[in-house]
Amino acid sequence: MKKYGIYIGILIGGLVLGYVIFGTGSSNETMNSDEMAEIADEHGHGTENGEPQMWTCSMHPQIMLPEPGDCPICGMDLIPAEQSAGGLTADQFKMTENALALANIQTTLVGGSGLEDNTLVLSGKVMENEELNAVQVSYFAGRIEKLYINFTGEQVNRGQLLATIYSPELVSAQQELLTTASLKESQPGLYKAVRNKLKLWKLSEKQINSIESSGQVKENFPVYATVSGTVTDKMAQEGDYIKQGQPLYKITDLSSVWAMFDAYENQISSLQEGQEIQIATNAYPAKEFTAKISFIDPVLNTASRTVKIRAVLPNNEDLFKPGMFLQGKVKGLTNDGNETIVVPQSAVMWTGERSVVYVKSNDNAPVFELRKVKLGKSRGDQYEILEGLQNGEQIVTQGTFTVDAAAQLKGKKSMMSPEGGSANTMPGMPGMNMGGASNTKTDDEQIKQGQVSTKKFLEGKVYDFRKDTPKAFRQQLDAVIHAYLSLKDGLVQADEKATSKYSSELLKALQNVDGNVLKGDAKAFWEEKKSFLMQHAKLCKEASTIAGKRENFIYLSQPLIKVVEAYGPGDEKLYVDFCPMANNNKGAFWLSADQEIQNPFMAADMRSCGEVKQEITSNK
């Protein structure tokens, strides 16, 4: 029995020794590539050039993480990021072909203007001819017994009955007339004075003679139109008590109208009174109307940086309606003999003080660099380039903000970082290192990563610049808020047409905000927030899906909430809403004009998801 025990022990020992010797080598041969890569990483191995491998998202190149996984924004698989960019200058950077395709980045070859006859294109609209406007007033006080014109748009003729009015003063004056009529032989002066008093109330000789001959006092007196035209404003109602001289109707003669155009200050030198302008409108696309510039406003609108250009259009056929949009072309402008370089407006990014474009430096590779340019005149949807570009160069005309994000990611010069900066930072958000180490972050930056609690975001520092906010800035900011709220409603309904329209209007409204009217901290605060708002408004406009627009709406809402807190919501109350399930359960804020929750991030059956976290009123 002892022998068998010894044999069994030897057998077990041999099996164990064989596994140790041969089993380990076998496992190395069957180890998959992922496991080997993990071991290599643990021992400090990275890419061939010795740099640690970083991972990015093809749709969001601002994401840069030290290991593979899912994109924290869209959930797509991360891809290896490019390492060193050999052969490139200090200002150049390279993007992947995959990123270019997914972001739909397009480039255009720079060339001459291609505008026939050096045509300047202006946008405008039809307005009433102020010289033909009239206000129909009551020449005596009293109570309106009857109105015979009851709606705007109704046509009236000179001498037409408009209303009847009971006037105690006029009743007394008629009684004086009848009394003095019997004394006109003995007291002609008194008689004449009473008649003149009635004439001051616009009673005609015929009406006065009628009262005198009948011997009867009229209680209700008629009001007749003194001009012909169209009623554009009804300013009184039946039963109203009115004062002498109080308006009843605004009557406009639309037999001629004004075509009012906006011209930027760098276009003024090309325009002068008497120039011929060709006018087109969407209402009559097959027709073109000719007029002459009759007036150039001597005062520049400091908010929009434009002046008003006026032309008079005959309108006997009633073709033009006030408010109708127009396009005007001034042809035959002289130039200095040099071919003008023009680029699409979508290619140009500006910060208020400088304008930049992205140039594709290599025809055969996706290599880009920032280029500062000097803008000339705006011609329709194009800009003249006075300095910074040459014919034959390629520039980015679609997806410019995506390219700018890639530039910031690589630490190159960008729209918001003129001198460049450290790589692996979020665009417009210095200090947020996406590679792992985290510097001090603002509430806005941390909330984007879902790292700030609702309480901390709402209790963060609130600025108050309401007392120092000029009226012009207030009006421009109101336009931004209005477009934002309209975009929010479109996202609630998942309406692609509405969201495309209002995202474009939001971007335009932001571009029209003139921060130069602000001063000190109020100006610095706006410029900081505007750069971030502009970036995601542009991305929201360019996003081709509702999901893409919703994603950027998250990052639009955060700085706009702070802006509304700082400068006020205007005349209306706004609500800060929060949904903890939005943004992949990280939570998201938005602004609303209604207390009822209408969630712009969720599907139709989840529209009521969320709660009101804060009310922002005009009085704060």
Side-chain angles (χ1 to χ4, degrees):
M1 290 296 291
K2 290 183 179 179
K3 284 185 178 180
Y4 288 115
I6 294 173
Y7 294 150
I8 292 172
I10 293 174
L11 178 61
I12 294 174
L15 292 173
V16 171
L17 182 63
Y19 177 80
V20 171
I21 295 174
F22 299 105
T24 304
S26 172
S27 65
N28 278 337
E29 292 176 2
T30 59
M31 185 181 298
N32 62 45
S33 58
D34 290 340
E35 293 170 330
M36 293 182 69
E38 183 176 349
I39 291 176
D41 287 342
E42 289 176 355
H43 290 276
H45 299 296
T47 57
E48 294 180 0
N49 57 18
E51 298 179 3
Q53 177 65 62
M54 303 297 290
W55 298 79
T56 187
C57 176
S58 57
M59 285 296 290
H60 302 91
Q62 67 266 31
I63 298 300
M64 188 65 69
L65 298 175
E67 57 186 20
D70 296 335
C71 173
I73 296 179
C74 65
M76 291 180 61
D77 292 337
L78 298 180
I79 60 175
E82 288 190 353
Q83 301 300 313
S84 61
L88 303 183
T89 67
D91 294 334
Q92 294 176 342
F93 60 94
K94 190 175 183 181
M95 297 180 65
T96 65
E97 295 287 353
N98 190 34
L100 293 181
L102 289 173
N104 194 25
I105 294 171
Q106 298 179 11
T107 61
T108 299
L109 195 66
V110 173
S113 67
L115 296 174
E116 298 180 1
D117 301 324
N118 293 314
T119 301
L120 176 63
V121 180
L122 302 173
S123 297
K125 62 181 180 179
V126 176
M127 294 183 63
E128 301 165 0
N129 187 335
E130 293 180 4
E131 296 175 341
L132 302 180
N133 283 349
V135 177
Q136 183 70 55
V137 302
S138 172
Y139 294 102
F140 41 83
R143 183 181 66 242
I144 300 176
E145 296 295 318
K146 179 69 175 179
L147 284 178
Y148 293 93
I149 303 297
N150 294 308
F151 57 89
T152 58
E154 192 168 352
Q155 189 72 23
V156 299
N157 297 313
R158 181 185 177 92
Q160 182 175 340
L161 179 62
L162 299 179
T164 56
I165 298 175
Y166 168 72
S167 173
E169 292 179 341
L170 200 53
V171 169
S172 298
Q174 292 178 77
Q175 291 172 341
E176 290 177 6
L177 174 64
L178 297 178
T179 301
T180 57
S182 60
L183 303 174
K184 62 182 175 180
E185 298 295 337
S186 60
Q187 299 186 36
L190 179 60
Y191 170 70
K192 185 177 181 180
V194 172
R195 288 182 66 92
N196 288 337
K197 181 180 179 180
L198 291 172
K199 289 179 181 179
L200 291 176
W201 282 327
K202 297 298 181 181
L203 269 66
S204 65
E205 287 281 355
K206 183 179 179 181
Q207 287 177 309
I208 296 173
N209 292 335
S210 174
I211 295 169
E212 185 177 341
S213 61
S214 66
Q216 299 293 324
V217 173
K218 290 186 177 180
E219 293 186 352
N220 298 327
F221 244 82
V223 176
Y224 297 101
T226 56
V227 295
S228 298
T230 302
V231 175
T232 55
D233 193 3
K234 181 184 175 185
M235 309 170 79
Q237 302 291 335
E238 287 186 5
D240 286 352
Y241 282 86
I242 58 174
K243 298 178 181 179
Q244 183 177 358
Q246 184 171 331
L248 300 176
Y249 301 98
K250 180 181 177 182
I251 299 176
T252 301
D253 185 353
L254 297 178
S255 60
S256 74
V257 293
W258 284 351
M260 297 292 289
F261 299 96
D262 292 317
Y264 290 97
E265 55 185 315
N266 57 9
Q267 298 172 330
I268 299 174
S269 60
S270 301
L271 300 169
Q272 58 186 359
E273 293 183 12
Q275 269 181 319
E276 195 171 86
I277 181 169
Q278 303 297 321
I279 299 173
T281 177
N282 292 335
Y284 313 104
K287 291 185 177 182
E288 192 172 72
F289 306 89
T290 302
K292 289 187 177 182
I293 296 176
S294 60
F295 179 75
I296 299 176
D297 197 331
V299 179
L300 179 77
N301 185 323
T302 56
S304 62
R305 311 304 302 175
T306 60
V307 296
K308 292 293 184 183
I309 308 297
R310 181 201 305 164
V312 180
L313 288 170
N315 194 33
N316 293 324
E317 298 180 11
D318 198 28
L319 298 178
F320 301 105
K321 316 293 183 185
M324 186 181 289
F325 286 108
L326 301 172
Q327 183 185 74
K329 294 181 180 180
V330 181
K331 299 182 177 181
L333 300 181
T334 57
N335 56 39
D336 57 5
N338 298 320
E339 187 177 15
T340 303
I341 295 177
V342 296
V343 300
Q345 289 186 357
S346 61
V348 180
M349 296 185 293
W350 55 275
T351 63
E353 297 180 355
R354 64 192 186 100
S355 302
V356 298
V357 299
Y358 275 96
V359 177
K360 189 171 185 287
S361 309
N362 190 321
D363 291 338
N364 302 316
V367 176
F368 302 93
E369 67 176 286
L370 186 76
R371 186 80 58 81
K372 185 177 179 180
V373 296
K374 182 178 179 181
L375 299 183
K377 299 170 183 174
S378 172
R379 297 186 170 186
D381 59 353
Q382 296 178 317
Y383 284 129
E384 287 184 3
I385 301 296
L386 303 181
E387 295 177 6
L389 287 177
Q390 296 180 353
N391 284 333
E393 291 187 298
Q394 283 194 67
I395 60 171
V396 177
T397 54
Q398 182 168 314
T400 47
F401 273 91
T402 302
V403 176
D404 190 73
Q408 294 179 63
L409 175 67
K410 297 176 184 294
K412 304 297 182 179
K413 292 181 179 180
S414 64
M415 180 182 71
M416 289 175 284
S417 301
E419 303 303 324
S422 59
N424 303 336
T425 57
M426 285 291 289
M429 300 170 69
M432 182 183 290
N433 190 314
M434 298 302 291
S438 176
N439 300 329
T440 302
K441 308 170 186 177
T442 66
D443 285 349
D444 284 353
E445 292 167 348
Q446 294 185 46
I447 197 70
K448 180 165 183 178
Q449 288 185 300
Q451 297 174 352
V452 173
S453 68
T454 305
K455 181 179 180 181
K456 184 176 179 181
F457 178 74
L458 295 179
E459 292 182 354
K461 184 175 181 181
V462 177
Y463 296 88
D464 186 359
F465 304 119
R466 300 188 185 202
K467 293 181 180 179
D468 302 323
T469 302
K471 183 178 179 181
F473 181 85
R474 176 72 262 164
Q475 292 173 340
Q476 295 161 7
L477 182 59
D478 287 345
V480 171
I481 295 172
H482 176 75
Y484 170 90
L485 294 174
S486 298
L487 175 58
K488 186 268 296 183
D489 292 339
L491 291 173
V492 170
Q493 301 297 329
D495 187 332
E496 293 186 3
K497 185 176 180 180
T499 52
S500 295
K501 175 185 176 183
Y502 292 119
S503 58
S504 298
E505 288 187 4
L506 176 59
L507 180 60
K508 184 177 180 180
L510 283 166
Q511 292 172 338
N512 288 337
V513 176
D514 182 13
N516 292 323
V517 301
L518 301 172
K519 296 179 181 179
D521 292 340
K523 181 178 180 180
F525 181 85
W526 168 250
E527 292 298 335
E528 174 193 346
K529 298 301 180 185
K530 181 179 180 180
S531 61
F532 199 60
L533 287 167
M534 287 281 293
Q535 178 178 354
H536 286 284
K538 183 76 178 291
L539 292 173
C540 193
K541 175 187 175 184
E542 294 178 351
S544 58
T545 64
I546 292 293
K549 293 185 186 297
R550 282 173 169 165
E551 172 192 325
N552 285 285
F553 191 75
I554 295 173
Y555 309 136
L556 270 171
S557 299
Q558 292 157 193
L560 189 59
I561 290 171
K562 297 300 184 183
V563 167
V564 171
E565 286 179 336
Y567 302 103
D571 296 330
E572 57 184 331
K573 178 190 294 185
L574 293 180
Y575 300 90
V576 179
D577 298 337
F578 178 77
C579 174
M581 297 178 64
N583 195 18
N584 294 325
N585 293 319
K586 295 176 184 177
F589 294 90
W590 72 94
L591 284 168
S592 175
D594 302 312
Q595 193 166 9
E596 180 184 359
I597 295 294
Q598 289 290 307
N599 194 315
F601 305 115
M602 311 299 283
D605 56 346
M606 296 287 287
R607 286 178 185 168
S608 60
C609 177
E611 59 180 321
V612 176
K613 289 293 185 180
Q614 182 182 350
E615 294 183 7
I616 307 178
T617 64
S618 57
N619 296 322
K620 218 159 188 176

Short mmCIF file of all heavy atoms in Angstrom, two decimals, residues 317-350:
data_model
loop_
_atom_site.label_atom_id
_atom_site.label_comp_id
_atom_site.label_asym_id
_atom_site.label_seq_id
_atom_site.Cartn_x
_atom_site.Cartn_y
_atom_site.Cartn_z
N GLU A 317 -50.10 99.90 -59.25
CA GLU A 317 -50.72 98.59 -59.46
C GLU A 317 -50.82 97.79 -58.17
O GLU A 317 -51.22 96.63 -58.18
CB GLU A 317 -49.94 97.81 -60.51
CG GLU A 317 -49.91 98.48 -61.88
CD GLU A 317 -49.13 97.66 -62.89
OE1 GLU A 317 -48.80 96.49 -62.59
OE2 GLU A 317 -48.83 98.18 -63.98
N ASP A 318 -50.42 98.39 -57.06
CA ASP A 318 -50.51 97.75 -55.75
C ASP A 318 -49.74 96.42 -55.70
O ASP A 318 -50.17 95.44 -55.08
CB ASP A 318 -51.98 97.51 -55.38
CG ASP A 318 -52.16 97.27 -53.88
OD1 ASP A 318 -51.34 97.79 -53.10
OD2 ASP A 318 -53.11 96.57 -53.50
N LEU A 319 -48.55 96.42 -56.32
CA LEU A 319 -47.73 95.21 -56.32
C LEU A 319 -46.94 95.05 -55.02
O LEU A 319 -46.73 93.94 -54.55
CB LEU A 319 -46.76 95.23 -57.51
CG LEU A 319 -47.38 95.24 -58.91
CD1 LEU A 319 -46.28 95.32 -59.96
CD2 LEU A 319 -48.22 93.99 -59.13
N PHE A 320 -46.50 96.16 -54.48
CA PHE A 320 -45.61 96.11 -53.30
C PHE A 320 -46.41 96.29 -52.02
O PHE A 320 -47.20 97.22 -51.88
CB PHE A 320 -44.54 97.20 -53.41
CG PHE A 320 -43.68 97.07 -54.63
CD1 PHE A 320 -43.85 97.93 -55.71
CD2 PHE A 320 -42.70 96.09 -54.71
CE1 PHE A 320 -43.07 97.81 -56.84
CE2 PHE A 320 -41.91 95.96 -55.84
CZ PHE A 320 -42.10 96.83 -56.91
N LYS A 321 -46.16 95.40 -51.08
CA LYS A 321 -46.82 95.45 -49.77
C LYS A 321 -45.78 95.80 -48.72
O LYS A 321 -44.68 95.22 -48.70
CB LYS A 321 -47.46 94.10 -49.41
CG LYS A 321 -48.21 93.43 -50.55
CD LYS A 321 -49.44 94.20 -50.95
CE LYS A 321 -50.22 93.45 -52.06
NZ LYS A 321 -51.36 94.23 -52.55
N PRO A 322 -46.05 96.73 -47.81
CA PRO A 322 -45.10 97.04 -46.75
C PRO A 322 -44.71 95.79 -45.97
O PRO A 322 -45.57 94.98 -45.61
CB PRO A 322 -45.88 98.03 -45.87
CG PRO A 322 -46.81 98.72 -46.83
CD PRO A 322 -47.23 97.64 -47.79
N GLY A 323 -43.42 95.64 -45.75
CA GLY A 323 -42.90 94.46 -45.06
C GLY A 323 -42.33 93.43 -46.01
O GLY A 323 -41.65 92.49 -45.58
N MET A 324 -42.60 93.54 -47.31
CA MET A 324 -42.13 92.58 -48.30
C MET A 324 -40.60 92.68 -48.43
O MET A 324 -40.04 93.77 -48.46
CB MET A 324 -42.81 92.87 -49.64
CG MET A 324 -42.52 91.88 -50.75
SD MET A 324 -43.39 92.39 -52.28
CE MET A 324 -45.08 92.04 -51.82
N PHE A 325 -39.92 91.53 -48.49
CA PHE A 325 -38.46 91.52 -48.62
C PHE A 325 -38.05 91.79 -50.06
O PHE A 325 -38.71 91.35 -51.02
CB PHE A 325 -37.89 90.17 -48.16
CG PHE A 325 -37.90 89.98 -46.68
CD1 PHE A 325 -38.79 89.08 -46.09
CD2 PHE A 325 -37.06 90.70 -45.86
CE1 PHE A 325 -38.83 88.92 -44.72
CE2 PHE A 325 -37.08 90.55 -44.49
CZ PHE A 325 -37.97 89.65 -43.92
N LEU A 326 -36.92 92.49 -50.18
CA LEU A 326 -36.41 92.89 -51.50
C LEU A 326 -34.93 92.55 -51.60
O LEU A 326 -34.22 92.42 -50.60
CB LEU A 326 -36.58 94.39 -51.71
CG LEU A 326 -37.99 94.98 -51.64
CD1 LEU A 326 -37.89 96.51 -51.69
CD2 LEU A 326 -38.86 94.47 -52.78
N GLN A 327 -34.48 92.44 -52.84
CA GLN A 327 -33.04 92.36 -53.12
C GLN A 327 -32.71 93.41 -54.15
O GLN A 327 -33.37 93.52 -55.19
CB GLN A 327 -32.65 90.98 -53.65
CG GLN A 327 -31.15 90.83 -53.88
CD GLN A 327 -30.76 89.51 -54.51
OE1 GLN A 327 -30.99 89.29 -55.69
NE2 GLN A 327 -30.18 88.62 -53.72
N GLY A 328 -31.71 94.23 -53.85
CA GLY A 328 -31.32 95.29 -54.76
C GLY A 328 -29.92 95.06 -55.30
O GLY A 328 -29.03 94.60 -54.57
N LYS A 329 -29.73 95.34 -56.58
CA LYS A 329 -28.42 95.18 -57.22
C LYS A 329 -27.99 96.51 -57.83
O LYS A 329 -28.70 97.07 -58.66
CB LYS A 329 -28.48 94.10 -58.30
CG LYS A 329 -28.75 92.70 -57.78
CD LYS A 329 -28.76 91.68 -58.90
CE LYS A 329 -29.02 90.27 -58.38
NZ LYS A 329 -29.03 89.27 -59.47
N VAL A 330 -26.85 96.98 -57.37
CA VAL A 330 -26.25 98.19 -57.94
C VAL A 330 -25.13 97.73 -58.86
O VAL A 330 -24.13 97.17 -58.40
CB VAL A 330 -25.72 99.13 -56.84
CG1 VAL A 330 -25.14 100.40 -57.46
CG2 VAL A 330 -26.83 99.47 -55.86
N LYS A 331 -25.30 97.94 -60.15
CA LYS A 331 -24.36 97.41 -61.13
C LYS A 331 -23.40 98.50 -61.61
O LYS A 331 -23.60 99.68 -61.37
CB LYS A 331 -25.13 96.84 -62.33
CG LYS A 331 -26.05 95.68 -61.97
CD LYS A 331 -26.74 95.12 -63.21
CE LYS A 331 -27.62 93.92 -62.84
NZ LYS A 331 -28.28 93.34 -64.03
N GLY A 332 -22.35 98.01 -62.28
CA GLY A 332 -21.41 98.92 -62.91
C GLY A 332 -20.51 99.67 -61.95
O GLY A 332 -20.07 100.78 -62.25
N LEU A 333 -20.22 99.07 -60.78
CA LEU A 333 -19.34 99.75 -59.84
C LEU A 333 -17.91 99.74 -60.36
O LEU A 333 -17.45 98.76 -60.97
CB LEU A 333 -19.38 99.05 -58.47
CG LEU A 333 -20.75 99.00 -57.78
CD1 LEU A 333 -20.62 98.31 -56.44
CD2 LEU A 333 -21.31 100.39 -57.59
N THR A 334 -17.19 100.81 -60.15
CA THR A 334 -15.81 100.90 -60.62
C THR A 334 -14.90 100.18 -59.64
O THR A 334 -15.21 100.02 -58.46
CB THR A 334 -15.36 102.36 -60.72
OG1 THR A 334 -15.52 102.97 -59.44
CG2 THR A 334 -16.19 103.10 -61.74
N ASN A 335 -13.75 99.69 -60.14
CA ASN A 335 -12.75 99.07 -59.26
C ASN A 335 -11.38 99.61 -59.62
O ASN A 335 -11.22 100.42 -60.52
CB ASN A 335 -12.81 97.54 -59.37
CG ASN A 335 -12.62 97.05 -60.81
OD1 ASN A 335 -11.82 97.61 -61.55
ND2 ASN A 335 -13.34 96.00 -61.18
N ASP A 336 -10.36 99.11 -58.91
CA ASP A 336 -9.02 99.62 -59.13
C ASP A 336 -8.25 98.84 -60.18
O ASP A 336 -7.04 98.98 -60.32
CB ASP A 336 -8.24 99.59 -57.81
CG ASP A 336 -8.20 98.19 -57.21
OD1 ASP A 336 -8.69 97.25 -57.87
OD2 ASP A 336 -7.68 98.05 -56.09
N GLY A 337 -8.94 97.99 -60.92
CA GLY A 337 -8.30 97.23 -61.98
C GLY A 337 -7.79 95.88 -61.52
O GLY A 337 -7.39 95.06 -62.34
N ASN A 338 -7.78 95.60 -60.22
CA ASN A 338 -7.33 94.31 -59.71
C ASN A 338 -8.52 93.39 -59.52
O ASN A 338 -9.60 93.82 -59.14
CB ASN A 338 -6.61 94.48 -58.37
CG ASN A 338 -5.36 95.33 -58.51
OD1 ASN A 338 -4.64 95.20 -59.48
ND2 ASN A 338 -5.12 96.21 -57.53
N GLU A 339 -8.29 92.10 -59.79
CA GLU A 339 -9.36 91.13 -59.60
C GLU A 339 -9.63 90.94 -58.11
O GLU A 339 -8.71 90.71 -57.33
CB GLU A 339 -8.98 89.79 -60.23
CG GLU A 339 -10.11 88.79 -60.24
CD GLU A 339 -9.72 87.50 -60.94
OE1 GLU A 339 -8.53 87.30 -61.16
OE2 GLU A 339 -10.62 86.72 -61.23
N THR A 340 -10.87 91.06 -57.71
CA THR A 340 -11.24 90.98 -56.31
C THR A 340 -11.39 89.52 -55.89
O THR A 340 -12.03 88.73 -56.56
CB THR A 340 -12.56 91.72 -56.06
OG1 THR A 340 -12.43 93.07 -56.49
CG2 THR A 340 -12.90 91.69 -54.59
N ILE A 341 -10.78 89.17 -54.76
CA ILE A 341 -10.94 87.83 -54.19
C ILE A 341 -12.18 87.83 -53.30
O ILE A 341 -12.32 88.68 -52.43
CB ILE A 341 -9.70 87.44 -53.38
CG1 ILE A 341 -8.49 87.32 -54.30
CG2 ILE A 341 -9.93 86.13 -52.63
CD1 ILE A 341 -7.20 87.01 -53.57
N VAL A 342 -13.07 86.89 -53.55
CA VAL A 342 -14.27 86.76 -52.72
C VAL A 342 -14.37 85.32 -52.22
O VAL A 342 -13.93 84.38 -52.89
CB VAL A 342 -15.56 87.14 -53.49
CG1 VAL A 342 -15.54 88.60 -53.88
CG2 VAL A 342 -15.75 86.26 -54.71
N VAL A 343 -14.94 85.16 -51.02
CA VAL A 343 -15.13 83.84 -50.43
C VAL A 343 -16.54 83.76 -49.86
O VAL A 343 -17.13 84.80 -49.53
CB VAL A 343 -14.10 83.56 -49.32
CG1 VAL A 343 -12.68 83.62 -49.86
CG2 VAL A 343 -14.27 84.55 -48.16
N PRO A 344 -17.11 82.57 -49.72
CA PRO A 344 -18.43 82.44 -49.09
C PRO A 344 -18.37 82.90 -47.64
O PRO A 344 -17.36 82.74 -46.96
CB PRO A 344 -18.73 80.94 -49.19
CG PRO A 344 -17.83 80.43 -50.27
CD PRO A 344 -16.60 81.29 -50.23
N GLN A 345 -19.46 83.45 -47.15
CA GLN A 345 -19.50 83.90 -45.75
C GLN A 345 -19.31 82.74 -44.78
O GLN A 345 -18.81 82.93 -43.68
CB GLN A 345 -20.82 84.62 -45.48
CG GLN A 345 -20.96 85.97 -46.15
CD GLN A 345 -22.21 86.71 -45.74
OE1 GLN A 345 -23.03 86.19 -44.99
NE2 GLN A 345 -22.38 87.93 -46.24
N SER A 346 -19.70 81.52 -45.19
CA SER A 346 -19.57 80.36 -44.31
C SER A 346 -18.11 80.02 -44.02
O SER A 346 -17.81 79.30 -43.07
CB SER A 346 -20.26 79.15 -44.93
OG SER A 346 -19.67 78.82 -46.18
N ALA A 347 -17.18 80.54 -44.85
CA ALA A 347 -15.76 80.24 -44.65
C ALA A 347 -15.12 81.11 -43.59
O ALA A 347 -14.07 80.78 -43.04
CB ALA A 347 -15.01 80.41 -45.97
N VAL A 348 -15.74 82.25 -43.28
CA VAL A 348 -15.12 83.25 -42.41
C VAL A 348 -15.65 83.11 -40.99
O VAL A 348 -16.85 83.05 -40.76
CB VAL A 348 -15.39 84.68 -42.94
CG1 VAL A 348 -14.73 85.71 -42.03
CG2 VAL A 348 -14.87 84.82 -44.37
N MET A 349 -14.74 83.08 -40.04
CA MET A 349 -15.08 83.14 -38.62
C MET A 349 -14.52 84.44 -38.08
O MET A 349 -13.42 84.86 -38.46
CB MET A 349 -14.49 81.95 -37.86
CG MET A 349 -15.05 80.61 -38.28
SD MET A 349 -14.43 79.25 -37.25
CE MET A 349 -12.72 79.24 -37.72
N TRP A 350 -15.30 85.08 -37.21
CA TRP A 350 -14.83 86.35 -36.66
C TRP A 350 -15.18 86.44 -35.19
O TRP A 350 -16.15 85.85 -34.72
CB TRP A 350 -15.41 87.53 -37.43
CG TRP A 350 -16.91 87.54 -37.52
CD1 TRP A 350 -17.68 86.89 -38.42
CD2 TRP A 350 -17.83 88.21 -36.65
NE1 TRP A 350 -19.01 87.11 -38.19
CE2 TRP A 350 -19.14 87.93 -37.10
CE3 TRP A 350 -17.68 89.04 -35.54
CZ2 TRP A 350 -20.26 88.44 -36.48
CZ3 TRP A 350 -18.81 89.54 -34.93
CH2 TRP A 350 -20.08 89.24 -35.41
#
